[in-house]
Amino acid sequence: MKRFKKVYIEITSVCNLACSFCPQTSRKANFIRPDTFNDILDQVKPHTNHIYLHVKGEPLLHPKIDELLDACHAKGFKVNITTNGTLIHKAGHKILGKPALRQMNFSLHSFDGHEGSTNREEYLANIFSFVREAVEHKVIISFRLWNLDKDNATNLEKSRNRETLAMLEKEFNLDFKIEEKVVPGSGVKIADRIYLNQDHEFQWPSLQAPEDDGKGFCHALRSHAAILVDGTVVPCCLDGEGVINLGNIHSRSFSEIVEGERANNLFYGFSRREAVEELCRKCGYRQRFGA
């Protein structure tokens, strides 16, 4: 039986932002029902102890996210949530103090990636207010600025980030400039349980993208798998449209799906350093792991 470090469970396909770096999904707007979520937890329990509540969509939009976290705790899961942070002042009280919550990832690049963003100071103040309480509950915090330009990767003094970094430095009383410490693709610790990670702007894989020679490796179906809100199982969190549809948990069990023919073809293909799926051959993330 395959064991994963984590399984992504998309609890909604809906997002309240339209960021330039994140293609809008063509899938139906949907929110997972608590009873469906409970069934999924039972199905993935033999495979992992860690759940990530996203693929596409903004998880803090889910009106019953508190119930979902309670269900995770009842079944022994630890949870990571990735959010754009814009709703933390409205939804924060639903998740604070929930014992299942292990880590919060704030995609701070969402502010500049969304054309309608207007008040950076208020946006960050709401996030900082939540973070101060969350760390008291032993929650790990990861601030993400994944918007560096690859053509100018050595120049971290970017006007769109400097204002945000200055507010981080002030909030956490840092005696150094973050740019002096952080390396693209890695993180820097800025306080107890609080980290900042900067990286290049991410390109979602697409069937419209150019195809390479298909050589290389990926951890899909080795360290992780993902379940979209409609129950479709995909090999990783980057298949936001369900292109590599391995099966649906409403008609087959998760265990059967991840050991199915298509899943195993992908898995053993990467054992040979070959991408057997078209979307994988058009995914730049695979190239991070070399040939």
Side-chain angles (χ1 to χ4, degrees):
M1 178 177 291
K2 289 186 175 75
R3 285 284 298 180
F4 304 115
K5 290 182 179 178
K6 57 204 172 193
V7 171
Y8 296 85
I9 302 176
E10 183 184 69
I11 60 175
T12 180
S13 56
V14 179
C15 189
N16 62 320
L17 300 185
C19 295
S20 59
F21 56 81
C22 186
Q24 299 299 295
T25 180
S26 61
R27 293 182 286 121
K28 178 182 176 182
N30 203 351
F31 290 83
I32 204 165
R33 290 171 33 176
D35 58 338
T36 301
F37 186 75
N38 266 285
D39 177 60
I40 291 175
L41 292 182
D42 288 337
Q43 292 199 42
V44 303
K45 184 59 182 174
H47 299 271
T48 192
N49 294 319
H50 290 86
I51 299 298
Y52 285 48
L53 295 184
H54 74 282
V55 176
K56 286 290 189 76
E58 169 50 55
L60 296 190
L61 276 172
H62 200 291
K64 296 184 177 180
I65 192 169
D66 48 348
E67 292 184 29
L68 305 186
L69 286 170
D70 288 340
C72 288
H73 177 61
K75 296 179 186 296
F77 290 101
K78 288 297 183 182
V79 175
N80 284 28
I81 295 176
T82 296
T83 173
N84 59 45
T86 57
L87 302 174
I88 199 66
H89 62 296
K90 295 181 178 179
H93 70 282
K94 291 184 177 182
I95 61 179
L96 267 176
K98 293 296 184 183
L101 183 60
R102 173 186 175 270
Q103 180 168 325
M104 288 288 292
N105 303 316
F106 289 96
S107 298
L108 301 185
H109 47 280
S110 301
F111 184 87
D112 291 300
H114 178 67
E115 191 175 334
S117 300
T118 56
N119 192 329
R120 188 189 308 269
E121 190 168 347
E122 181 182 45
Y123 166 69
L124 289 172
N126 287 330
I127 291 175
F128 293 158
S129 178
F130 171 86
V131 166
R132 291 185 207 112
E133 292 190 67
V135 293
E136 295 297 320
H137 293 284
K138 309 300 183 185
V139 176
I140 299 168
I141 304 294
S142 174
F143 295 122
R144 295 175 172 179
L145 277 172
W146 291 359
N147 58 5
L148 299 181
D149 183 349
K150 283 188 177 180
D151 296 329
N152 199 18
T154 58
N155 180 15
L156 299 184
E157 189 65 41
K158 296 185 175 295
S159 58
R160 61 184 177 179
N161 286 340
R162 178 85 292 270
E163 207 175 330
T164 294
L165 295 177
M167 292 180 187
L168 283 164
E169 289 158 4
K170 181 180 178 181
E171 170 67 21
F172 298 102
N173 298 312
L174 301 185
D175 59 0
F176 60 87
K177 285 285 189 7
I178 291 173
E179 294 99 326
E180 298 170 357
K181 300 277 189 178
V182 73
V183 175
S186 64
V188 59
K189 185 175 183 178
I190 58 177
D192 186 37
R193 296 181 178 273
I194 301 175
Y195 303 84
L196 174 83
N197 182 283
Q198 282 197 285
D199 208 341
H200 303 119
E201 185 170 312
F202 178 73
Q203 297 294 318
W204 285 81
S206 167
L207 290 178
Q208 281 67 55
E211 188 170 315
D212 60 25
D213 62 6
K215 299 298 181 183
F217 180 76
C218 181
H219 292 282
L221 294 178
R222 278 180 163 77
S223 69
H224 59 275
I227 304 171
L228 303 182
V229 69
D230 67 352
T232 300
V233 178
V234 291
C236 73
C237 66
L238 304 184
D239 187 0
E241 293 303 299
V243 173
I244 307 175
N245 184 341
L246 302 177
N248 194 291
I249 51 92
H250 300 309
S251 55
R252 295 167 62 200
S253 73
F254 181 77
S255 296
E256 183 182 358
I257 291 169
V258 297
E259 295 291 355
E261 182 178 3
R262 189 172 187 181
N264 279 332
N265 284 343
L266 184 149
F267 181 94
Y268 291 114
F270 281 127
S271 295
R272 302 188 303 271
R273 302 301 191 266
E274 295 176 10
V276 300
E277 291 282 350
E278 180 184 0
L279 188 68
C280 299
R281 294 193 296 272
K282 297 180 174 182
C283 178
Y285 200 84
R286 189 187 81 252
Q287 297 165 0
R288 296 187 179 200
F289 306 108

